Amino acid sequence: MMLVLLQTVALPSEAPPSSTSFLDILMQGGWVMIPIALLSLLTVYLIVERWITVQKAKINPQQIMDRVRSYVEAGDVRGALAYCEAQDKPITRILRHGLERLGRPIAEIRDAVEAAGKYEAFELEKRMDVLASIAGIAPMLGFLGTVTGMIEAFQQIQNLQGNVNPSVLAGGIWEALLTTAFGLIVGILALFGHNVLLTRINRLVNDMERSATDFIDLLQEPVPHPRRHPETLL
């Protein structure tokens, strides 16, 4: 009985399963994980910031042009300007630049509208090139981390003259592959966000170009009411 008890006490107890947190996994990836983590934060910020900008710029271009057309045909330029200022959208800001130059040569009005359109398109596409760069840089950083990790693993094998436990070698390899996995995740997220945002931005730019063209055509149409009050055009 005493022997059985001693044997029971002498048996090694099972070690509790080790839990690895997400932060620990990131730290095992090496120094390359630091720029990848920074790029991931920058990616999320750019996607959210550009998405909010695009959502604020959304508007019905046909409705805007119908309202501006009604004001211009009635000779109420001040009302058209007040309406555009109240909306404060890229399309209305472009039309406002044209309305402010009514009475000048049509070429000057067209140049002002085109310049305003280019500026608004630039504001919508701002920082999109950074998002596209992250989509290409993040996976490359991941591959770099994997290559440097594999170099260190094989250096350890050489230092130990090949007497390496396979489990230790496998652990070094999966730690080296961590950077590739996280780099690909960040790159895919940046590429997806870039493509989705670019599609919506192109749609907005197309609406702005169409509205600008309609506005110039409106100014070249014959006036339906020849009697106009000069004071309303000031």
Side-chain angles (χ1 to χ4, degrees):
M1 182 68 179
M2 182 62 68
L3 181 60
V4 174
L5 181 59
L6 290 175
Q7 289 178 350
T8 304
V9 174
L11 288 176
S13 59
E14 295 183 358
S18 58
S19 59
T20 304
S21 64
F22 182 74
L23 182 60
D24 293 334
I25 295 177
L26 291 179
M27 296 301 295
Q28 290 175 355
W31 64 269
V32 182
M33 292 298 294
I34 297 176
I36 293 178
L38 295 177
L39 288 179
S40 67
L41 296 177
L42 181 59
T43 299
V44 174
Y45 166 77
L46 290 176
I47 291 176
V48 173
E49 187 268 339
R50 286 293 90 190
W51 179 265
I52 294 175
T53 302
V54 170
Q55 290 298 111
K56 288 182 178 180
K58 288 178 61 177
I59 200 171
N60 188 344
Q62 188 61 44
Q63 180 181 0
I64 294 295
M65 279 307 305
D66 290 342
R67 291 292 300 273
V68 172
R69 181 185 297 273
S70 64
Y71 280 114
V72 173
E73 290 179 350
D76 188 6
V77 178
R78 288 183 176 178
L81 285 170
Y83 173 72
C84 292
E85 291 176 358
Q87 294 296 321
D88 195 24
K89 303 288 184 178
I91 292 178
T92 56
R93 288 195 289 266
I94 293 172
L95 298 180
R96 189 184 65 191
H97 278 78
L99 291 170
E100 291 173 346
R101 289 163 176 78
L102 285 183
R104 301 181 184 180
I106 191 66
E108 184 177 345
I109 299 176
R110 182 184 292 109
D111 292 341
V113 170
E114 291 179 354
K118 291 179 181 179
Y119 174 79
E120 294 296 339
F122 171 78
E123 288 295 316
L124 289 174
E125 297 173 355
K126 188 165 57 177
R127 290 186 286 272
M128 290 297 295
D129 54 342
V130 179
L131 202 57
S133 299
I134 294 175
I137 292 175
M140 298 302 293
L141 283 174
F143 293 141
L144 175 63
T146 297
V147 171
T148 56
M150 294 297 293
I151 291 174
E152 293 178 0
F154 282 106
Q155 283 180 342
Q156 292 180 358
I157 295 175
Q158 182 181 13
N159 294 335
L160 296 175
Q161 298 180 354
N163 298 323
V164 182
N165 190 335
S167 62
V168 176
L169 180 60
I173 293 176
W174 77 261
E175 289 178 4
L177 292 175
L178 277 176
T179 55
T180 297
F182 281 95
L184 288 174
I185 291 173
V186 175
I188 291 172
L189 177 62
L191 181 61
F192 177 77
H194 176 270
N195 290 340
V196 172
L197 289 171
L198 191 61
T199 300
R200 295 180 177 272
I201 290 174
N202 289 338
R203 191 178 304 166
L204 288 172
V205 171
N206 180 67
D207 291 340
M208 290 189 299
E209 292 177 350
R210 187 177 59 184
S211 299
T213 302
D214 292 342
F215 178 74
I216 298 299
D217 293 340
L218 171 64
L219 299 182
Q220 294 176 332
E221 292 178 359
V223 181
H225 302 287
R227 183 180 179 183
R228 293 161 41 179
H229 300 282
E231 62 272 10
T232 60
L233 297 177
L234 296 178

